Structure formats: structure tokens, C-alpha cells
Amino acid sequence: MEGQKKNSTVDHAASSDPAIALTAPQLHALLDILTHHGTYAEVESFKDPATISGYGYPFARHYPQSHGTPSYAPDSTTPLLAGVLRNIVLPFPGVRDLPPEFWHVRFQGILEKLAEAELSESYDKGVLGTRKTLATAASAIHEAVSRGILGGIQGGTGQNLHGEYDRSKAQDLTRAWEDGVRELVYGDLIDELFACAAEKHSLEEHSPAVKAAADYIIIHLATLIHHIFIVSPEGPYLLKLLENVHKLLPYSMVKQTLRIGNAATMLNGMMRLLLAKVGVGALSNWVGLTQNADDGMNLLQRIIWLVLSWDASDFRKSAEAIERAKGPSKEQLAAIKDYLNKPRAEHEDIRKASAQSNKSMVGTILERADPELLASLTDTQHAQCADYLSALLEARDRDEISNILCRQNPDLFTQAIKDAVASFEPMIRTIHQNVDLREHVSAGEAFITEFINISRAKRTTSRLLGSLTPTKADAAETRIPSVEDYVLLLRNNRHLLYNWLRQIASQCPEIRDEFRTWAKETIKVFRQLVELEPSKISVSPKGGTRPGAAGALSGPLQNLFASLPASTQARILPAIDAHAAYLSTLEDLSLKRMQRILDNMSAITTTSITGSAALTTLSAASTPSASTTATPATITGATAPTSYFSSSYWSRSGRSTPRSPSPNLAPTVLSPNGISASSEAASGKRSFSGPGMYLARWQQLLDDTLIGPAGAKPPRSSSGNAGLMRTGKDVKGVLARGKTGSGGSTKTASDSGGTVSSDVGLLANTGEGGGEGGEEPRAVDVGCVVEALGEGFKELVRGLVKGRDTSRG
């Protein structure tokens, strides 16, 4: 009834006021604005422990009178997130068999504990932290999926996937991707790809369109990885975490356990290896001497605890160094340390006071503790106090996460792992009986090792190959990974994925059919249930044409916009137009960056082949037996194909997965500094940004994040900015004190406090730090649009999600 009343109100408003007909670009921009801000608002809401209980199915509400029976919220408070989870994740094979307790007891309990821990805010630390970086990245990808579910993929006639696609042109790669997506959603491409996976060595053998779409995916995935680990200031730190976990994982023991032929015995051994606890509490609980005592940690928890404790130790050392320095007084440091123990309500009150008074968090904390502490604070002491607060918060975060995942009683984390293994056990049994998993574990270990090595910035020289007299300038050069490096990494290792898919599809037909059924049912959520009427969507001469508009949501968005007063419509329309132009510019820029990467890859490949031919000629001339010992790839190096995507190049018969490093088109020639000669020859052909509009939306979320004022006191004049509120773009590249990257410290001192990632500094010096020399367009302020339509859009999405749940049930 309430929904019908709201709809009638919308229809009445639309009929009483002269509605402005939105153009296709405007509708597309409006959907982008509302999903972008709505998704991240839902992500941020999980800071509140009560949010998860209002999520709806599969997370339950807490009612004492429920007597253990789960009760689900009828209307989700986070409809965008719930839509993706219920439509895509929950029906997934294995996931759908998880017991209800996994969601509303185990997983929900962990999320609630993390929210109750009140992990630190970027506002308090004065820098963008790791959680903020990863949360905004996940939100940017999530919103793209949500738009696909809400608006749907535009249908069309059957696409000729066997047509001509020039893989050296970005436009053709994009067209191949779009054609493939339409055939997935409306055609029979899913069935064809599953059949191809079972019969062929590579999915790329299906058609030219699939082969070009694979190029498209690799370039976008390489760009995302590069942005996370290289462009992001948190990249070196994330790489260090990955490297620490990689070193601690017991690959050899896992492979030995996988040698066991009986699947049940193998699973039991694997569970004992990873989840068995050997603490004194576990023994006393088992005997019955104690009850609910801390029973220690299993191997997975030990790995998590070690990695986080190493980090926490680094931050504590930074805090102790400040305590030993002749800077802030003991009373000032004690007041800051006392802030950590205050309740959530007081933390929020101090942040609000800081924002209202334009004082830093340190200044507000000291003033509340004792105004004299703030009065005697110098600028140098303020910077040290800010670093001290940041280091303490970072150490506390890691302690809280360790306690929740590793020292919680009851142990929800271990029980959640056991539930997941039990749910996937039939699938694991079948795969173990038909596929040699040890080879895939070895291949995965080798890939991660190669990935870590590529992601490290290298000190190198720029002298010519063979030069023995490097100059002083040569010795000072540092080479950081480019997008092309990751493209090559993924290209050279894509056979690992194809080989895995081929073995599963050919040797495990039951699993293949199960996943095919899930894919065919899940892809239906991206179909447009309502066909658009072109006559009802006008075209703006300035904005150009956008045939899809907002897809199936075009009509509801038009009605939602029409429900606003005419004055509000006129006020927000310029912001919608500006955002439509912004999206159009981003789309053009994304295509331009992809083309640049394709051109660079062509130059790198050509250089590699030329170098191989020269090396072969030199070897044949100097070694009489070269003709009898050279490999075929070396002999035919001069005429080798220029594409790394040739399936005949890397495919192998049989089920074995190569353990050796990734194959190369030609022998790699290493220069004295350890960098390949082809990479040095093409060093001028390197990119530090790539395609993907979601990257710009991700960066916008980071740039818009509120950061506390830098000064302890408000600015005395309008020209000063030391006490003004900052955002993420003002602290771009600044890391929290104590954060180190892979291989040790990868940061330098910052004048504004904290530290600056050296990789980010190098990117800034090359002019490639995210914007390719300042070409990144600036996002427009669309706050008025969100304010006017945000709540109405949330109600609209909630109704759609609820309607789909009802129809599915």
C-alpha cells in the first residue's frame, strides 16, 4: 500500500507540473550519479553494527523472542548491495548449499564484531588508509554491476562473432566485448563457451570476437592491478602484505597432502593441516577441565595473526620513536593515547567539533583534555602528535582485527571455514578424483612469485646494452612497473586459467553442467525486462546519442525526476548535463588509453622479435652446432607471430600444467641491470594509466573523502589553508607513519606530515600519476542531484529487489 501511495504521488506530481523530458545522455548520467553515491553510502553504513541486521536475507534481525529462528528484515536498508548478493552470489554452486547459520551466525557475527571495534577513520589519521582504498575500489566495481542489473544490457539482433576484429585497434576490442556480452545475455554463447572449454585448449579458439574480447579483458584487468599496486599510495604496503602471506603459506605441505588418493582422507588431512588447534585451552576443553577457554589458533589464524602483528609492531616502533624524541610532552602524548579508549559517541563528537572549528583532530583532542596543552603546542610538535595518533590508530586496528579473526570465543572464523569446506566437499571430491591439483597449486605459487617480482620497483640503469662505463645519471634511475608489464604477465600466464578450465570441463562433466546452469540463470538478471520506446526518449544535440539511456530504468527515473517541483528540476538539470559531459569525456579518454597500450605492446613485441632474430643470427655465426641445438622458436624467431595470444604458441596437449616460468615468444635477452633488452629498447613506450571509467569513479571516491584540517588552530586569514578542511586529493600519496612496502621502506618524508610513497613520487615526476600529464577530467559536483533524488532512488531499488525476490520465491 505504501509503495502504491508513493507511485500515485509521483504520477500526480508528474501530471500537475510540466515535466522536463530527459534525454538519453541525461538518463544515463542520472543512473550513474545515483548508483555511484548510493552504493558507497551503503558500503559506509556498515560502520554501524546495526546495519547488517537490517540487510535482509540472508542476514537476520536480533529478536530475543525468536528462540533461534532467524527473522529477516522485509525491506533491506542496503538494496544495491543486497541485489548483487541475492542475484549473483547466493545462487552460485557451493555457496547456495551453505547452511543458514553460516550467514546469520558466523559471517554476520564477524561483520558485527568488526563494526563494534570501530576501526580508525581516515579523518582521524589524516591519510587515506588501506581499508578506505579497498572499500572504494570494491564500491566502484560493485556499482557497475548494480547498474547492469538495474538497467539491463541492451538487446539486439544476433551478433556475428566470426566477423572481422582488428585486435590492434581499441574500438574493435570494445566492439568485440560488447558483441560478446550481448550474445552471453541474449544468445547461446554460454553453451558454446562451455563446449569450447571441454574440447579446445583455449576459449580464444571459439571465434575472433572471443579472442579480441580476451585482449580487452586482459588490458582492463592489468590496468586495475597496476592501479592498486603501483598508482595507489597503498600499493607497496599491499604488496608487502601479499608477500608476507605468500611466504607463510605451506605450499609444499599442501601438495604432499594432495598426493593422497582417497578424497575423504585428503580432505581430512587438509583440514587438520589448516584448521587444527594445538593450544593448551583446546586440550583442556576437550578433556573437560575447562569450558570456552581460549583454545589457541590454527594455521590459517596463525598466518593472519603473524602478518598483522608484524605490521602493528612497525607502527608501535614509530610511536615509541616519537615518545623518545624531544618533542611533545608526556601529557600531550598521554591525552592522545587516552583518545583511543574513549567510546564511539565521544569519538564522533570530537570529529564534529574538529570540522566545525576548523581544527585538526590533534588540536581538538588536546583542547578538550586541557586547553594549556594546545596553547603550548608548536607546529613541529603538532606534526609529531599527528604522526603519533596515526601510528597508534593503525596498530590498534590490526590488534582488533587479529582478536576478532583469531582469538574470538566462540571461534566464528574457523567454523565459517568448516562450513564452506563442507558445502564444497562434493565438488572437491569430484575434482580431486579427476584432476591433479598439485600441478595447479605449483602453477599458482609460481604465478604469485612472478607477480610480486614484477610489482617491485627496480633500481636500474639506462645505459646501452654492453656499455661498461655507466654515467652518474644512469646509476640514479629507478624503473617502476608499467601497465604493459602487467599485460605481458597476464598474457604469458593466461594458459594457466585455460588449462584449469579445460580439465574441469572435460574431466568433471557434472560440475561443468552445474556451473553452466548457474551461468545461464544468473545472466538473465542483466536482460532488459522492459523494451525502450525510442519515441519517448529525446536526443540532446549537445550530449549526442546514447541508445541505452538508463535501460529498463529509463521510465522509472523519468517519473522520479518528474515528481520533483519544477524549480528543483531546473536547479539540478545543469549538474546532470555536466555529469553527462564528464562521462562522455571519460569514455573517450578510456578508449584513447587503451589504444596507447595496444600501440606500446606492438612496439614491445616487435622489438622482442627483432632482438630474438639478431640473437639467433649471432649464435648461429659463432656456434657451429647451433643449428642442431636451437629450439624451433629460436630458429623461426624472425617470422614468429607478433601476437602473444596465438593459441598454437602456448597450448600443450594433455592435462599437465607447466611449472616453469611463463613462456616467451623469443629468448629473453637480459641487460647487465637485470631488465630485458626488449623492455629497455621500448622504455619510451610505457603507460602508467589505462582504460576503465570505473578507475576514475574510484579515484573520485578517494578524492572526496574528508580528511581533518592540517592545523591545530583555525586560519587567521582567508588566504591561509593550514586549518581548512581537507579531502583525499589534498593528501594524495601520503602514507601513515610506519607503513613500509615490499623489501623494506618505500617511502620518503613529507612536508605536510606522514610519509610519501616513493612510487607515487616517481609517477608524479613522470607526469603519469593517474592522469597522464593532467588529461584526467575533473568530476563535477552533483550533490544537489543526490540530495533531491537519493532517497527516492533508494526506495525504487528496494522495490525492484523485493519484487525479484518475490518472483524467484
Side-chain angles (χ1 to χ4, degrees):
M1 291 294 295
E2 185 177 348
Q4 294 178 357
K5 182 178 180 181
K6 185 175 184 66
N7 291 337
S8 63
T9 304
V10 171
D11 294 339
H12 174 72
S15 60
S16 59
D17 293 331
I20 300 175
L22 295 176
T23 65
Q26 289 171 337
L27 286 169
H28 178 79
L30 183 57
L31 177 62
D32 184 272
I33 292 170
L34 297 177
T35 52
H36 177 71
H37 291 269
T39 302
Y40 189 60
E42 292 182 5
V43 171
E44 280 200 309
S45 68
F46 281 90
K47 298 174 184 177
D48 184 356
T51 298
I52 190 66
S53 62
Y55 188 100
Y57 180 82
F59 302 108
R61 294 181 294 182
H62 295 294
Y63 284 136
Q65 63 272 23
S66 62
H67 304 292
T69 302
S71 172
Y72 305 110
D75 296 318
S76 176
T77 56
T78 55
L80 288 169
L81 299 180
V84 173
L85 178 67
R86 297 175 190 175
N87 287 294
I88 298 178
V89 179
L90 291 184
F92 191 82
V95 175
R96 65 191 176 203
D97 299 322
L98 287 169
E101 293 78 14
F102 172 86
W103 298 104
H104 69 79
V105 176
R106 259 75 89 178
F107 195 54
Q108 182 172 349
I110 292 174
L111 291 179
E112 288 175 341
K113 290 293 183 182
L114 289 173
E116 291 170 359
E118 195 195 0
L119 302 179
S120 62
E121 295 281 345
S122 297
Y123 188 96
D124 296 358
K125 296 181 293 187
V127 294
L128 294 170
T130 305
R131 287 183 297 108
K132 176 66 68 174
T133 300
L134 297 180
T136 49
S139 177
I141 297 174
H142 196 293
E143 69 174 83
V145 179
S146 295
R147 279 195 293 272
I149 294 177
L150 294 174
I153 304 298
Q154 185 180 11
T157 57
Q159 309 297 320
N160 180 20
L161 302 183
H162 295 274
E164 294 291 333
Y165 295 91
D166 188 346
R167 292 162 59 205
S168 65
K169 294 183 179 179
Q171 290 182 340
D172 279 26
L173 295 190
T174 304
R175 180 167 59 89
W177 166 256
E178 294 174 349
D179 291 346
V181 169
R182 289 194 184 96
E183 284 300 306
L184 284 173
V185 177
Y186 294 99
D188 298 323
L189 186 55
I190 290 179
D191 289 327
E192 295 174 9
L193 288 179
F194 272 88
C196 180
E199 300 170 2
K200 306 290 186 180
H201 290 282
S202 166
L203 294 180
E204 297 172 21
E205 297 181 41
H206 175 273
S207 62
V210 172
K211 184 178 293 186
D215 290 13
Y216 180 94
I217 294 172
I218 286 176
I219 292 175
H220 277 77
L221 185 57
T223 300
L224 175 62
I225 296 173
H226 181 270
H227 200 89
I228 293 175
F229 287 94
I230 304 301
V231 176
S232 168
E234 294 290 326
Y237 172 73
L238 292 173
L239 184 64
K240 184 192 73 170
L241 292 183
L242 175 62
E243 187 174 7
N244 288 340
V245 173
H246 182 55
K247 290 178 180 178
L248 291 173
L249 286 176
Y251 290 105
S252 298
M253 297 180 67
V254 169
K255 285 183 284 188
Q256 287 297 323
T257 307
L258 290 174
R259 292 174 62 92
I260 301 174
N262 184 274
T265 307
M266 182 275 296
L267 270 176
N268 184 53
M270 194 69 70
M271 295 292 286
R272 286 179 177 273
L273 171 64
L274 299 178
L275 301 181
K277 298 189 176 185
V278 293
V280 176
L283 179 62
S284 61
N285 287 338
W286 180 71
V287 174
L289 297 177
T290 58
Q291 190 176 19
N292 293 329
D294 184 7
D295 52 357
M297 292 182 285
N298 55 47
L299 179 59
L300 285 180
Q301 291 173 324
R302 179 68 63 178
I303 292 174
I304 294 172
W305 181 82
L306 280 174
V307 171
L308 294 180
S309 64
W310 290 341
D311 269 358
S313 177
D314 289 339
F315 289 114
R316 289 194 180 92
K317 289 178 182 177
S318 297
E320 291 169 359
I322 295 175
E323 291 175 350
R324 293 192 300 267
K326 296 181 180 179
S329 65
K330 293 183 179 180
E331 292 77 11
Q332 291 170 330
L333 296 179
I336 294 174
K337 185 179 292 186
D338 183 59
Y339 168 78
L340 274 68
N341 301 321
K342 294 183 181 298
R344 179 191 295 262
E346 191 162 353
H347 287 166
E348 294 176 351
D349 187 48
I350 292 177
R351 291 190 198 103
K352 186 182 297 184
S354 168
Q356 291 175 350
S357 62
N358 275 332
K359 293 179 182 177
S360 67
M361 283 295 294
V362 168
T364 307
I365 292 170
L366 295 180
E367 186 177 36
R368 289 212 168 190
D370 185 355
E372 291 296 327
L373 296 178
L374 177 60
S376 60
L377 188 70
T378 65
D379 292 341
T380 302
Q381 291 175 336
H382 177 268
Q384 291 175 313
C385 287
D387 287 343
Y388 187 73
L389 174 61
S390 177
L392 291 179
L393 289 172
E394 294 281 11
R396 177 187 175 276
D397 286 349
R398 281 142 187 83
D399 290 341
E400 292 291 339
I401 295 174
S402 296
N403 291 333
I404 292 169
L405 296 181
C406 306
R407 296 187 178 278
Q408 191 177 19
N409 204 342
D411 189 353
L412 299 178
F413 177 77
T414 298
Q415 189 57 52
I417 298 296
K418 291 181 178 179
D419 287 345
V421 172
S423 179
F424 283 90
E425 182 176 355
M427 197 178 301
I428 297 173
R429 285 173 176 264
T430 302
I431 295 175
H432 179 68
Q433 292 172 357
N434 296 279
V435 179
D436 188 356
L437 293 174
R438 292 173 298 158
E439 296 181 352
H440 295 283
V441 172
S442 297
E445 180 185 8
F447 175 77
I448 296 175
T449 301
E450 186 178 358
F451 172 82
I452 292 173
N453 291 334
I454 286 178
S455 299
R456 290 187 178 128
K458 298 176 178 63
R459 300 291 297 180
T460 181
T461 61
S462 59
R463 61 183 183 272
L464 295 176
L465 183 63
S467 174
L468 300 179
T469 57
T471 64
K472 184 177 180 180
D474 290 335
E477 186 176 330
T478 300
R479 184 184 186 277
I480 58 177
S482 64
V483 177
E484 288 82 4
D485 292 324
Y486 289 101
V487 172
L488 284 175
L489 172 69
L490 297 179
R491 282 185 176 184
N492 291 343
N493 288 279
R494 72 198 185 285
H495 64 285
L496 302 180
L497 173 62
Y498 291 151
N499 192 50
W500 166 257
L501 293 177
R502 180 173 182 268
Q503 293 190 32
I504 297 298
S506 60
Q507 304 296 328
C508 309
E510 302 88 353
I511 296 178
R512 177 195 64 205
D513 294 340
E514 193 173 359
F515 275 92
R516 177 167 55 189
T517 301
W518 167 80
K520 293 178 68 174
E521 289 299 318
T522 301
I523 205 69
K524 293 178 181 179
V525 303
F526 294 99
R527 293 179 179 176
Q528 288 185 355
L529 302 179
V530 180
E531 291 293 334
L532 299 179
E533 298 183 33
S535 60
K536 292 187 177 181
I537 300 179
S538 60
V539 178
S540 169
K542 294 183 178 180
T545 61
R546 185 177 288 276
L553 223 59
S554 296
L557 282 182
Q558 177 66 68
N559 293 337
L560 187 64
F561 179 81
S563 68
L564 298 174
S567 58
T568 305
Q569 294 180 17
R571 179 169 57 87
I572 69 175
L573 200 57
I576 297 176
D577 288 333
H579 190 74
Y582 168 71
L583 292 180
S584 179
T585 304
L586 280 183
E587 192 171 359
D588 295 340
L589 180 59
S590 177
L591 199 65
K592 174 184 174 183
R593 288 175 172 174
M594 190 193 303
Q595 186 61 57
R596 183 183 60 242
I597 292 174
L598 289 172
D599 295 340
N600 293 349
M601 293 304 301
S602 177
I604 292 173
T605 305
T606 302
T607 304
S608 177
I609 294 173
T610 304
S612 172
L615 180 65
T616 304
T617 303
L618 179 62
S619 176
S622 59
T623 308
S625 60
S627 60
T628 61
T629 59
T631 63
T634 306
I635 295 173
T636 60
T639 59
T642 58
S643 173
Y644 278 93
F645 285 102
S646 174
S647 58
S648 61
Y649 158 63
W650 56 260
S651 61
R652 298 177 53 171
S653 60
R655 290 168 42 198
S656 64
T657 302
R659 304 188 188 198
S660 59
S662 306
N664 296 309
L665 264 176
T668 302
V669 184
L670 294 181
S671 61
N673 56 26
I675 307 299
S676 65
S678 60
S679 298
E680 285 194 330
S683 59
K685 301 291 186 180
R686 304 174 67 223
S687 303
F688 296 91
S689 63
M693 296 173 61
Y694 64 91
L695 293 177
R697 313 314 313 282
W698 172 19
Q699 191 60 53
Q700 181 188 351
L701 290 173
L702 290 174
D703 290 346
D704 293 343
T705 300
L706 287 180
I707 305 295
K713 301 176 182 179
R716 297 180 179 179
S717 63
S718 58
S719 59
N721 57 5
L724 297 179
M725 184 67 67
R726 296 174 297 169
T727 58
K729 63 183 178 182
D730 298 318
V731 295
K732 188 176 295 185
V734 180
L735 299 178
R737 183 184 177 101
K739 276 194 176 178
T740 59
S742 176
S745 178
T746 58
K747 53 191 185 331
T748 57
S750 168
D751 295 336
S752 59
T755 54
V756 179
S757 169
S758 59
D759 288 357
V760 174
L762 288 171
L763 289 174
N765 291 335
T766 60
E768 306 279 3
E772 295 294 326
E775 61 181 338
E776 188 84 45
R778 275 190 148 188
V780 296
D781 184 7
V782 292
C784 59
V785 181
V786 178
E787 180 182 358
L789 297 172
E791 286 301 319
F793 179 72
K794 187 173 183 178
E795 291 296 325
L796 174 62
V797 175
R798 184 181 286 120
L800 292 174
V801 172
K802 189 175 182 179
R804 281 179 171 170
D805 291 341
T806 303
S807 63
R808 185 182 294 108

